[in-house]
Amino acid sequence: MTLKSKKVKLSFGFEKSGRITSAFLLCSVFFLSDCKRTKPNLEECSDAQIHISKLIANDETMEKGVQALMLRSVLKPETSEAIIRSCVENKSLLQVQCELSKEKFVDLQDCKQLAPKRAESEG
């Protein structure tokens, strides 16, 4: 038996082929690129917006008038859209994940430290 005639088998029974290797490498690239992602996507920002609205609504320490004003503001479609767009552009993925993990509105302040650092030239 010559070296060229041997077929290499992977541990799970598939013969090694260029297609399988290519598919594996392509999947690896997508997986690794997602791991290195630092910006939240639209869905994550939308989920965070809904979560923050719930935290405002459930906050028993906030004055009812202030609470109602904040909820009216964040729940307006045009304001909500602007908040979500700003989130995608200006927040880090870690900051959004932090916001989603909070159970009280006042605790959201802790997440601001995870905001991306801005260049000195930006205001």
Side-chain angles (χ1 to χ4, degrees), residues 42-105:
L42 197 60
E43 184 179 351
E44 291 161 332
C45 284
S46 182
D47 289 347
Q49 169 68 5
I50 292 167
H51 182 69
I52 290 169
S53 299
K54 288 178 183 177
L55 294 181
I56 293 169
N58 293 330
D59 191 327
E60 295 175 1
T61 64
M62 196 180 296
E63 289 182 35
K64 294 298 176 196
V66 172
Q67 189 178 34
L69 184 63
M70 287 178 73
L71 284 172
R72 271 196 302 273
S73 177
V74 299
L75 294 176
K76 281 184 185 176
E78 62 274 7
T79 307
S80 182
E81 215 174 285
I83 291 169
I84 292 168
R85 193 170 42 252
S86 176
C87 168
V88 171
E89 294 171 5
N90 301 316
K91 288 186 178 182
S92 70
L93 178 59
L94 286 175
Q95 184 178 6
V96 172
Q97 290 170 339
C98 175
E99 290 171 349
L100 286 166
S101 73
K102 296 303 176 186
E103 294 182 20
K104 294 184 178 182
F105 181 74

